[in-house]
Each structure stands twice: as C-alpha cells, then as structure tokens.
Amino acid sequence: MCGIWALFGSDECLSVQCTCAMKIAHRGPDAFRFENVNGFTNCCFGFHRLAIVDQLYGMQPLRVKKFPYLWLCYNGEIYNHCRLEQQFDFDCQTKMDGEILLHLYDRFGIKKMASLLDGVFAFILLDTANRRVHLGRDTYGIRPLFKFITDNGFLAVCSEAKGLVDITHSMATAANIVPFLPGHIEVFDLKLNGKVESIQFEQFHCCTQEPAHAAYDSVEKLPTGVDKETVKSNIRRLFENAVRKRLMAHRRIGCLLSGGLDSSLVSAILVKQAQAEKLPYPIQTFSIGSDDSPDILAARKVAAHIGSEHHEVNFTAEEGIQAVEEVIFHLETYDITTIRASVGMYLVSKYIRSKTDSVVIFSGEGADELTQGYIYFHKAPSPRAAAEDSVRLLKELYLFDVLRADRTTAAHGLELRVPFLDHRFTAYYLSLPEEMRTPKDGVEKHLLRDSFKGLNLIPDEILWRRKEAFSDGVMSVKKSWYTCLQEHLESMVNDDQMEKAHKTFPHNPPTSKEAYYFRQVFERHYPGRGQWLPHYWMPRWIDACDPSARTLGDLMAQAKAIVTQSS
C-alpha cells in the first residue's frame, strides 16, 4: 500500500505544487521520493512508500536498466508476478512485484498487460520513448486513483482526491477531480511541453468475465458441473487459493474479525494457511465494540475456535462521535452508511498501528455484494433481478465499502487485502445459475454458508449468524452505534436548516439531521465537491429510509407479520 501522485504539464512551479503530495503521506510512512521527468517540462512523480515486498529495491518511480525509457509509479500487489515471470521467461532485475508491469507492457502493450495482472493496483506508467502516459486501476478499484485534466492538457493524478484539491492551474474554468474507473486503462499522448491529450480509454476486465490471468493460475481448470457438491467444492478451492496467494508479504499479517460470517471465514482460512506456510508468528485478529456488543462476543468465540492471537478494542459512542470529522476527511465522502461503518474500522486500524506490528490486514469486504448478503435481497422480485443487483453493487464498491476499507486502513499506514474480491473467485461465483445464488430458507448467502458446512472451520452458530451491519453490531443490542450517533447529532442541526436542505445541497440533499451534519463536515473539507458521491447507498425493493441492516430486518419482520395476520 502506497501513495502515488504525478503531474504532467503543470502550469505552476513544481516546488509549490509538490506540497500537495504531502496530503497523502499517511499512505506510505516508510519513505518519500519526488522526482522530475528529464526532458519534459513540468512533469514529475511523487511517491509515499509502505514497504511490503522487496524492501531494498521497492522505491518508486521504478526504473530498470532494460527499459530506461519507462517510469512506473504504482500502488498495489501483483500476486502472480513470479508465475508470469516464469511463464514468459522475463529477466527481472528486482524482487519487486511491480516490475512485472514493465516487462508485460514491453511485450504485450498496456491493455493485455493490465488484464494479466492478478492483484490490486492503481498505476501511472510513463513511456518517454513513445511519449505516452498510461493510467490503470484494478477490476474493483480496491486501490484508489483520482485524476483531473484541464482544458489545456494539464494532467494531475493521485491516490486520493485530497492530493489534488489545492493544485493550481492557469485555466479560468475549474478542473473536475474524478475517480478513475475500476477495470479501465487510459492512454495519453505526451507533448514536449508536458501537456497531454487522451487518445484511448478502454475497459480491460469486467467482474463477470473469467480473467485472462486464469490461464496461468496455480488453480487449474475447475470441474464445470453445476451440481451442488461440485459447486461447493469449487467455491472452497478458489476461496482458499484467494487467501493463500495474499500471504505474499515481508511484514506481519493480521485480520479484522467482526464475528460475522465473512470476516470469520477469512480469519479461519488465513490461520490455517499461515500454519501450512509456516509463518514465523501467530495470526493476530482484531475486533472492536462495546463490552456487550454482538460483534465482540461473536468474534471472541471465533478467535478461540481458530486459535488466533486475538485483540479486542473497546469502543464507546463518545469516542466514535469524536472521530467522525477525521473519518470524513479521510473518506472523502458523505455517504451515511459508509461513514457509520468507517468509524469503528478507523479506530481499530489506529489501534493496530500503534499497539501491534501487524501491517498487512485481511478483511471480508466484497462478500455481501458478491453473495447477495444484504437483507434486502430477500425481497428481490426474481433471481435475475437479484443477480443484476449483485453485479451493480460490485461495480459500485469503489464508491462505498472498498472506499471505506482502503481509507480507514491507509489513514494509519496499513495495507488491506480482500480475498472475497479475488478475480477468479468472483467470476466463478457470478457464473453460477441465478437461482443457486439467492437467499434460501430465509437465510442470505446460503450457498456460501453451505459450502463450508460440516468442516468445523468456524462455529456453526457463526456460520449461520444473521447479517449485522458494522454500525449495528459494535454496540449493544438495545442501542446500536448509529442510534447513538443520530441522538448526538440531533442538536447539531436545526429544523430551519433541514427545511432549506434541498436549496443548500441540491445534489444529494440530506433527508435527516445525521446526513446533514455529515454533508456539512464534508463541505468544510471539500467545498463544492458533492458530485464525488453520485448517490447514497440505499437498499432496493423495500420501503426504507435508513440503510441499517438492523432497521431493514425489523421492517421485513413487520411486513412478514402483517402478511401472516392477513392470511
């Protein structure tokens, strides 16, 4: 996990502009480099490093003797770099996983290069020989990337939007800062004056497609039948491989453990794989919540079952409320459910960084979107509608859960790994018959749960535990975290402000005092940038005004009771 930043054709002095790069210093606390591009006016790279792989040769921009005209600045991990090196007989000069991008680009070009990468990444690749600048981002946008380009061709790129907001330029019209779309590459023609012109923007992979790198994967071709036992075996095999390949690290590995299904499966398989790989330390697991919260109690049971070195972080509503402004600054969003869930993740990440030596952190993000884990999927009008919404959620992850997971961990110099979003695993799961993936017998994620049934991997009560949103499960059953937050914010926004909310914030106007307060804080840090969030995350097919899983569960229970009474 690193922070990358680059300018091409800056209108102002680089020594002034480069101070903006320091706004993402938290992403790479181990080292920093700022480097001009020789021969091109006002072009430069900035790089903040968190050393995970090849601590000796891992500084960037990466340049190797074989390709003196290539400059690479990237944030990510390429899990199949060794396999690709052997497959194509590349002569790599470092042990850095990112070097494989240079060799693949030289042989195959930018689009095929990106499609062969099994991993998470955001990159800026400069080819001075052909005067081209290339940008790219992984399928789900697990690693962030933002850009702006002015009307006269000044391009600025950064891991987080905050590194671009204060960059100055000579144009009268403002340059819009936008997230770079996941699963895409873009090519720019580089002029001698450093300015650029976009000449290609193309998708290289979609989540429903088998990835090109599957041909070189350690898990070879799977049985193709769709009988239940074959499917469950394939799910286990692919998911275990997704965890195994992510053990690539020279720093200590840990795992977030909420006590829910997703993080419990990740933790259990991680402990098992770490023992098989003979890692020289026990896996640390981390949970956060109040003493009597459902998450704390469930996580404690899982940790005892799998034998992890477990850490519990006590979380009070007051601490959470105090952290909200910092969290919104790091998130760069005002989405309600994202902020609620981020507070606990931000505080547990803070604990990990200050109290332990774990740096690479596994987590369960992506499972709900992939396996139809949200409670509202019970109300899907058809298996086809549910399958389509699952894909929609996956494509929007970079705006919500993936954004949350990256920013809250990166804020404290940690690197996140999310095996549920493994390319092969997700492509296989999405290829299964639509009827097979829907909730069954009143239980969401039934197929995933059933795939690990009877293995004693995690306790049965956890394997079949009901979905809890993070904002529900970290506090007591009687009073959830989001309820505490709403009560506190009730006095922070007055009724007059709410009446004028549509005029004050015409884009995504807040409909609650909680949402209004979040928007106020966001606008304080990023004035006029409300378009960064296209829409709020909200459930479908149910009349809900709040995204909380516990609220949805109550609504559905009420609806079921009404139907029962009427019949």
PDB file of all heavy atoms in Angstrom, residues 466-478:
ATOM      1  N   ARG A 466     -27.020 -14.282  11.525  1.00  0.00           N
ATOM      2  CA  ARG A 466     -27.741 -13.296  10.714  1.00  0.00           C
ATOM      3  C   ARG A 466     -26.839 -12.105  10.398  1.00  0.00           C
ATOM      4  O   ARG A 466     -25.968 -11.733  11.171  1.00  0.00           O
ATOM      5  CB  ARG A 466     -28.975 -12.826  11.486  1.00  0.00           C
ATOM      6  CG  ARG A 466     -29.778 -11.746  10.791  1.00  0.00           C
ATOM      7  CD  ARG A 466     -30.810 -11.141  11.740  1.00  0.00           C
ATOM      8  NE  ARG A 466     -31.500 -10.017  11.127  1.00  0.00           N
ATOM      9  CZ  ARG A 466     -32.323  -9.205  11.781  1.00  0.00           C
ATOM     10  NH1 ARG A 466     -32.543  -9.394  13.071  1.00  0.00           N
ATOM     11  NH2 ARG A 466     -32.909  -8.200  11.160  1.00  0.00           N
ATOM     12  N   LYS A 467     -27.095 -11.501   9.241  1.00  0.00           N
ATOM     13  CA  LYS A 467     -26.355 -10.319   8.811  1.00  0.00           C
ATOM     14  C   LYS A 467     -26.548  -9.158   9.790  1.00  0.00           C
ATOM     15  O   LYS A 467     -27.662  -8.805  10.150  1.00  0.00           O
ATOM     16  CB  LYS A 467     -26.836  -9.889   7.416  1.00  0.00           C
ATOM     17  CG  LYS A 467     -26.394  -8.506   6.969  1.00  0.00           C
ATOM     18  CD  LYS A 467     -24.919  -8.451   6.687  1.00  0.00           C
ATOM     19  CE  LYS A 467     -24.506  -7.054   6.232  1.00  0.00           C
ATOM     20  NZ  LYS A 467     -23.047  -6.919   6.126  1.00  0.00           N
ATOM     21  N   GLU A 468     -25.425  -8.571  10.242  1.00  0.00           N
ATOM     22  CA  GLU A 468     -25.443  -7.339  11.031  1.00  0.00           C
ATOM     23  C   GLU A 468     -24.555  -6.322  10.333  1.00  0.00           C
ATOM     24  O   GLU A 468     -23.415  -6.641   9.989  1.00  0.00           O
ATOM     25  CB  GLU A 468     -24.870  -7.580  12.441  1.00  0.00           C
ATOM     26  CG  GLU A 468     -25.822  -8.305  13.381  1.00  0.00           C
ATOM     27  CD  GLU A 468     -26.583  -7.348  14.278  1.00  0.00           C
ATOM     28  OE1 GLU A 468     -26.883  -6.233  13.821  1.00  0.00           O
ATOM     29  OE2 GLU A 468     -26.880  -7.723  15.419  1.00  0.00           O
ATOM     30  N   ALA A 469     -25.043  -5.121  10.105  1.00  0.00           N
ATOM     31  CA  ALA A 469     -24.171  -4.063   9.607  1.00  0.00           C
ATOM     32  C   ALA A 469     -23.176  -3.694  10.699  1.00  0.00           C
ATOM     33  O   ALA A 469     -23.479  -3.822  11.892  1.00  0.00           O
ATOM     34  CB  ALA A 469     -24.981  -2.837   9.209  1.00  0.00           C
ATOM     35  N   PHE A 470     -21.990  -3.229  10.292  1.00  0.00           N
ATOM     36  CA  PHE A 470     -20.983  -2.857  11.286  1.00  0.00           C
ATOM     37  C   PHE A 470     -21.524  -1.794  12.228  1.00  0.00           C
ATOM     38  O   PHE A 470     -21.245  -1.788  13.426  1.00  0.00           O
ATOM     39  CB  PHE A 470     -19.725  -2.357  10.581  1.00  0.00           C
ATOM     40  CG  PHE A 470     -18.556  -2.197  11.501  1.00  0.00           C
ATOM     41  CD1 PHE A 470     -17.695  -3.241  11.742  1.00  0.00           C
ATOM     42  CD2 PHE A 470     -18.316  -0.981  12.148  1.00  0.00           C
ATOM     43  CE1 PHE A 470     -16.618  -3.100  12.605  1.00  0.00           C
ATOM     44  CE2 PHE A 470     -17.251  -0.828  13.011  1.00  0.00           C
ATOM     45  CZ  PHE A 470     -16.389  -1.900  13.232  1.00  0.00           C
ATOM     46  N   SER A 471     -22.355  -0.881  11.701  1.00  0.00           N
ATOM     47  CA  SER A 471     -22.888   0.201  12.530  1.00  0.00           C
ATOM     48  C   SER A 471     -23.935  -0.293  13.512  1.00  0.00           C
ATOM     49  O   SER A 471     -24.345   0.432  14.412  1.00  0.00           O
ATOM     50  CB  SER A 471     -23.483   1.303  11.648  1.00  0.00           C
ATOM     51  OG  SER A 471     -24.461   0.789  10.784  1.00  0.00           O
ATOM     52  N   ASP A 472     -24.387  -1.549  13.341  1.00  0.00           N
ATOM     53  CA  ASP A 472     -25.326  -2.138  14.289  1.00  0.00           C
ATOM     54  C   ASP A 472     -24.592  -2.974  15.340  1.00  0.00           C
ATOM     55  O   ASP A 472     -24.861  -2.892  16.529  1.00  0.00           O
ATOM     56  CB  ASP A 472     -26.323  -3.056  13.555  1.00  0.00           C
ATOM     57  CG  ASP A 472     -27.173  -2.301  12.548  1.00  0.00           C
ATOM     58  OD1 ASP A 472     -27.531  -1.152  12.829  1.00  0.00           O
ATOM     59  OD2 ASP A 472     -27.468  -2.865  11.486  1.00  0.00           O
ATOM     60  N   GLY A 473     -23.672  -3.812  14.890  1.00  0.00           N
ATOM     61  CA  GLY A 473     -23.115  -4.849  15.735  1.00  0.00           C
ATOM     62  C   GLY A 473     -22.066  -4.436  16.731  1.00  0.00           C
ATOM     63  O   GLY A 473     -21.742  -5.207  17.643  1.00  0.00           O
ATOM     64  N   VAL A 474     -21.489  -3.220  16.598  1.00  0.00           N
ATOM     65  CA  VAL A 474     -20.403  -2.841  17.508  1.00  0.00           C
ATOM     66  C   VAL A 474     -20.891  -2.342  18.861  1.00  0.00           C
ATOM     67  O   VAL A 474     -20.107  -2.244  19.805  1.00  0.00           O
ATOM     68  CB  VAL A 474     -19.480  -1.762  16.889  1.00  0.00           C
ATOM     69  CG1 VAL A 474     -18.728  -2.314  15.710  1.00  0.00           C
ATOM     70  CG2 VAL A 474     -20.266  -0.522  16.501  1.00  0.00           C
ATOM     71  N   MET A 475     -22.180  -2.000  18.961  1.00  0.00           N
ATOM     72  CA  MET A 475     -22.733  -1.578  20.240  1.00  0.00           C
ATOM     73  C   MET A 475     -23.730  -2.632  20.722  1.00  0.00           C
ATOM     74  O   MET A 475     -23.882  -3.673  20.110  1.00  0.00           O
ATOM     75  CB  MET A 475     -23.400  -0.207  20.106  1.00  0.00           C
ATOM     76  CG  MET A 475     -22.475   0.888  19.588  1.00  0.00           C
ATOM     77  SD  MET A 475     -21.044   1.241  20.642  1.00  0.00           S
ATOM     78  CE  MET A 475     -21.829   2.234  21.891  1.00  0.00           C
ATOM     79  N   SER A 476     -24.410  -2.355  21.807  1.00  0.00           N
ATOM     80  CA  SER A 476     -25.300  -3.347  22.400  1.00  0.00           C
ATOM     81  C   SER A 476     -26.530  -3.582  21.527  1.00  0.00           C
ATOM     82  O   SER A 476     -26.864  -2.778  20.656  1.00  0.00           O
ATOM     83  CB  SER A 476     -25.747  -2.904  23.788  1.00  0.00           C
ATOM     84  OG  SER A 476     -26.623  -1.799  23.685  1.00  0.00           O
ATOM     85  N   VAL A 477     -27.211  -4.683  21.783  1.00  0.00           N
ATOM     86  CA  VAL A 477     -28.439  -4.996  21.054  1.00  0.00           C
ATOM     87  C   VAL A 477     -29.502  -3.942  21.335  1.00  0.00           C
ATOM     88  O   VAL A 477     -30.301  -3.580  20.476  1.00  0.00           O
ATOM     89  CB  VAL A 477     -28.948  -6.402  21.448  1.00  0.00           C
ATOM     90  CG1 VAL A 477     -30.286  -6.688  20.785  1.00  0.00           C
ATOM     91  CG2 VAL A 477     -27.923  -7.461  21.065  1.00  0.00           C
ATOM     92  N   LYS A 478     -29.513  -3.421  22.559  1.00  0.00           N
ATOM     93  CA  LYS A 478     -30.526  -2.452  22.968  1.00  0.00           C
ATOM     94  C   LYS A 478     -30.382  -1.130  22.219  1.00  0.00           C
ATOM     95  O   LYS A 478     -31.364  -0.465  21.905  1.00  0.00           O
ATOM     96  CB  LYS A 478     -30.434  -2.205  24.474  1.00  0.00           C
ATOM     97  CG  LYS A 478     -30.741  -3.437  25.317  1.00  0.00           C
ATOM     98  CD  LYS A 478     -30.551  -3.144  26.799  1.00  0.00           C
ATOM     99  CE  LYS A 478     -30.772  -4.381  27.656  1.00  0.00           C
ATOM    100  NZ  LYS A 478     -30.509  -4.119  29.092  1.00  0.00           N
TER     101      LYS A 478
END
